[in-house]
Amino acid sequence: MNLSIQNTRDLWAGLLYLAFAVIGLYIGSGYRLGTAAAMGPGYFPMALSALLACFGVASVVRAFLAPGDSVTQLAWKPALFILGSIAVFALTVEPLGLPIALTALMLIGAAASCHFRPDIKAALCLVAFVALCALVFVHWLHVPMPLLGTWFGG
């Protein structure tokens, strides 16, 4: 049996997923895990990192089994938009609050795609997503993120 890489995109994606999973597991291991009924601060990062590791392993295995495209070049513009959107969120969630920071994250991240066109449907989906995130994370899970940031007296 000849084991050779059939799909370098899946290989690199899987290795990237595994790298982020290992980092997340390492960072999350320093927090209390808790239980599914009473989640500690480490529960979500550990669960998410474990899930990401599973996707990473599946992607690496697929790289050896299924033929696919090779990586020709890195798409720098979309990568910078996605990384920039995460940085903007991290820097603005405290001073501006979750709704504004999340809206900025989504709009900057969407600008990474050549297919994104602002329209009323996209705007309504954005408003619904921000409202859902505020309900789930702030009100139901009690994640300490301000709805109104310090710049607005929150």
Side-chain angles (χ1 to χ4, degrees):
M1 180 168 134
N2 185 11
L3 205 60
S4 64
I5 298 170
Q6 302 285 321
N7 187 337
T8 57
R9 282 187 183 192
D10 280 348
L11 178 67
W12 286 111
L15 293 175
L16 187 63
Y17 294 159
L18 287 170
F20 279 117
V22 167
I23 291 167
L25 289 169
Y26 175 74
I27 292 171
S29 68
Y31 297 115
R32 186 177 55 81
L33 193 60
T35 65
M39 295 179 195
Y43 193 91
F44 186 72
M46 294 292 279
L48 191 61
S49 296
L51 183 63
L52 189 59
C54 292
F55 282 119
V57 168
S59 187
V60 168
V61 168
R62 181 182 162 150
F64 289 95
L65 300 177
D69 298 332
S70 63
V71 176
T72 55
Q73 68 181 32
L74 182 61
W76 285 104
K77 180 185 169 195
L80 290 174
F81 271 95
I82 297 299
L83 293 174
S85 69
I86 296 166
V88 166
F89 178 82
L91 293 171
T92 61
V93 70
E94 287 294 326
L96 298 177
L98 179 65
I100 295 173
L102 192 55
T103 300
L105 170 104
M106 297 296 290
L107 290 175
I108 296 168
S113 172
C114 61
H115 302 291
F116 175 72
R117 300 287 178 262
D119 62 6
I120 190 69
K121 183 179 174 185
L124 291 174
C125 287
L126 175 64
V127 169
F129 181 76
V130 169
L132 181 67
C133 286
L135 279 173
V136 169
F137 291 106
V138 177
H139 292 291
W140 292 339
L141 296 177
H142 304 290
V143 175
M145 288 188 285
L147 291 176
L148 284 177
T150 56
W151 289 0
F152 301 110

